[in-house]
Amino acid sequence: MLNRRSLILAGSAAIAAPAISLAQDSRLRFAVGPFQPSPSDTRKAFEPFFRHLAERLGRPYDLVVTNDWAGISVALANGQADIAWMGPWGYVLAHHAGGARAIATVGYDGLPSYHAIILARPGLTIGSWPEGARGLRISFADVGSTSGWLIPTHYFQSRGIDPKTFFRYRDGASHPANVIAVANGQVDLATDFDRNFNGMAERGLVRRDEVRIVWTSEPLPNDPLVVRAGFDPDATAHIQEIVTAITPEEARTIMPPRYTGWVSADHESYRPIEAAGIAVGRLKAKS
């Protein structure tokens, strides 16, 4: 079980230096999902981490920023990316489609978990939740998003609600776009996750009084760092050692704000996400 203490202790681990069997001139192909409002914002925020990783491995690299969460899964499954920082549901999709493997979970404010949320216009009257929200306009994120699609879909279905018929439904938006759509009154409700909403509020992109949170999920495992199927096992082990040795102090210089390092992980860390995917019919249980 990952916890705050394990995140802090991970930063003090000494890094061994095993031989890397990748070709000396091989380029590492990194990928990252659409965490920021635009691809250029995401690249600016996340490239210092990937540069640090490539430098420690002594390899040149390319970095692709995907436009949607499902796209990064396809890149891993097709061998177009070697290593990716992605959302939990996207990882589970990549694991089922092509055998991708989680090797670390990122820490945020020292914790390895976060929450899906649903936002509403502050003046909206909802007699009871969720039954009183019938017929309202709701925006989900794209179907590769953990907190923006999978978890709220699973929640509503567990209450006997099909969101596509219960609400005036749409999906496919980015998380920042969902927040802005609620704040501007373009929709009544929208899915998001607490880290994104808090970050947007801190950067002044939205005021906290422009929206209100009407639902919060149970804790979900944070973003994994993932390697594609067949990636060199010695390199994989070394990458895991490098990232789990990043201290909170170092994270402030090479990672986006409030990310505090990594802890080792594997597929078991993401079983709850996998179970939700099976429950909503997007995955088949493995025999």
Side-chain angles (χ1 to χ4, degrees):
M1 179 70 178
L2 302 176
N3 55 45
R4 186 183 184 93
R5 176 174 170 79
S6 65
L7 280 166
I8 294 170
L9 292 179
S12 63
I15 299 179
I20 304 301
S21 58
L22 290 171
Q24 291 295 316
D25 60 350
S26 62
R27 299 185 74 84
L28 292 168
R29 297 170 299 174
F30 295 133
V32 63
F35 286 101
Q36 301 288 328
S38 72
S40 61
D41 292 333
T42 298
R43 181 177 296 276
K44 181 179 179 180
F46 287 81
E47 188 158 23
F49 165 75
F50 289 107
R51 184 185 304 117
H52 168 82
L53 184 54
E55 288 173 351
R56 293 302 304 268
L57 292 167
R59 295 291 182 272
Y61 73 94
D62 295 314
L63 174 61
V64 172
V65 180
T66 63
N67 291 319
D68 58 59
W69 295 101
I72 199 168
S73 304
V74 173
L76 284 165
N78 292 345
Q80 297 170 326
D82 300 313
I83 304 155
W85 183 334
M86 60 196 309
W89 174 225
Y91 157 65
V92 170
L93 291 171
H95 176 79
H96 275 247
R101 184 161 64 93
I103 62 171
T105 295
V106 77
Y108 190 87
D109 287 342
L111 297 173
S113 61
Y114 73 111
H115 299 85
I117 58 177
I118 294 178
L119 302 172
R121 293 188 291 108
L124 192 64
T125 299
I126 301 175
S128 62
W129 177 262
E131 290 75 16
R134 182 186 294 273
L136 295 178
R137 301 168 299 168
I138 193 168
S139 177
F140 276 47
D142 78 67
V143 297
S145 171
T146 311
S147 57
W149 188 87
L150 174 65
I151 298 302
T153 297
H154 182 232
Y155 162 72
F156 283 122
Q157 289 188 2
S158 72
R159 300 291 297 265
I161 291 171
D162 178 354
K164 291 185 177 180
T165 58
F166 187 83
F167 299 104
R168 283 181 282 167
Y169 174 95
R170 72 187 198 192
D171 61 30
S174 69
H175 283 275
N178 263 355
V179 177
I180 297 301
V182 174
N184 290 345
Q186 297 168 316
V187 296
D188 302 308
L189 304 162
T191 61
D192 194 25
F193 60 106
D194 52 2
R195 289 176 5 214
N196 179 68
F197 174 61
N198 290 334
M200 290 183 68
E202 289 168 3
R203 295 194 304 273
L205 299 176
V206 64
R207 296 196 319 270
R208 293 187 183 274
D209 63 358
E210 290 181 302
V211 301
R212 64 186 176 99
I213 298 172
V214 293
W215 175 78
T216 301
S217 74
E218 295 295 319
L220 307 170
N222 272 344
D223 322 323
L225 191 67
V226 177
V227 297
R228 63 169 171 79
F231 188 69
D232 183 87
D234 290 334
T236 297
H238 193 42
I239 289 167
Q240 190 177 55
E241 290 176 344
I242 290 169
V243 300
T244 56
I246 294 172
T247 65
E249 292 73 24
E250 189 175 22
R252 284 196 287 269
T253 67
I254 64 171
M255 296 174 73
R258 300 182 69 170
Y259 286 100
T260 48
W262 300 82
V263 292
S264 296
D266 57 23
H267 187 66
E268 285 301 314
S269 307
Y270 294 89
R271 288 290 185 189
I273 307 302
E274 185 176 59
I278 293 169
V280 302
R282 294 303 299 265
L283 296 175
K284 291 183 178 180
K286 294 184 177 181
S287 57

